[in-house]
């Protein structure tokens, strides 16, 4: 499946952005899930946006969030330049295999 390209991967101080979309900023207290992802990202805005996109993909496919799946090296995927949608699909497949439903 083709995903919307990343326009900016961001950095510690610059947000992640998908092409044609607004940059993904963090608004403390706006949503508990977003606060948890921001904390997991260690305050790194680029990585946080990557996690938000991956989380949305996972929620849309399996109705649980990224933090509900088995542990995974999300930061490695971000640092390696993976698209968050692809990383999310891989996480879903890995979780299904771990649970014996793949």
């Amino acid at each position: 499946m083709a995903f919307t390209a990343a326009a900016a991967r961001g950095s510690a101080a610059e947000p992640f952005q998908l092409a044609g979309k607004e940059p993904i900023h963090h608004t403390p207290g706006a949503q508990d899930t977003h606060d948890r992802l921001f904390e997991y990202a260690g305050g790194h805005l680029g990585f946080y946006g990557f996690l938000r996109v991956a989380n949305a993909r996972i929620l849309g496919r399996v109705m649980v969030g990224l933090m509900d799946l088995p542990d995974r090296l999300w930061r490695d995927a971000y640092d390696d330049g993976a698209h968050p949608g692809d990383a999310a699909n891989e996480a879903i497949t890995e979780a299904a295999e771990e649970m014996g439903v793949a």
Side-chain angles (χ1 to χ4, degrees):
M1 170 177 208
F3 296 108
T4 302
R9 303 230 11 116
S11 66
E14 296 293 324
F16 186 92
Q17 181 177 6
L18 293 174
K21 305 284 184 179
E22 291 294 317
I24 301 171
H25 293 279
H26 177 61
T27 305
Q31 191 172 351
D32 183 55
T33 301
H34 295 176
D35 288 343
R36 288 177 57 213
L37 292 174
F38 189 73
E39 182 179 322
Y40 181 85
H44 188 287
L45 283 177
F47 183 41
Y48 164 71
F50 174 91
L51 293 172
R52 286 262 312 266
V53 173
N55 189 60
R57 174 74 177 156
I58 293 166
L59 278 169
R61 290 204 43 216
V62 295
M63 300 174 65
V64 298
L66 175 152
M67 302 297 276
D68 299 311
L69 296 180
D71 288 341
R72 166 165 232 287
L73 301 175
W74 290 103
R75 184 58 192 248
D76 286 354
Y78 172 77
D79 288 342
D80 290 345
H83 189 283
D86 290 328
N89 286 346
E90 289 175 15
I92 292 166
T93 299
E94 289 171 4
E97 288 171 355
E98 283 186 32
M99 292 185 283
V101 296

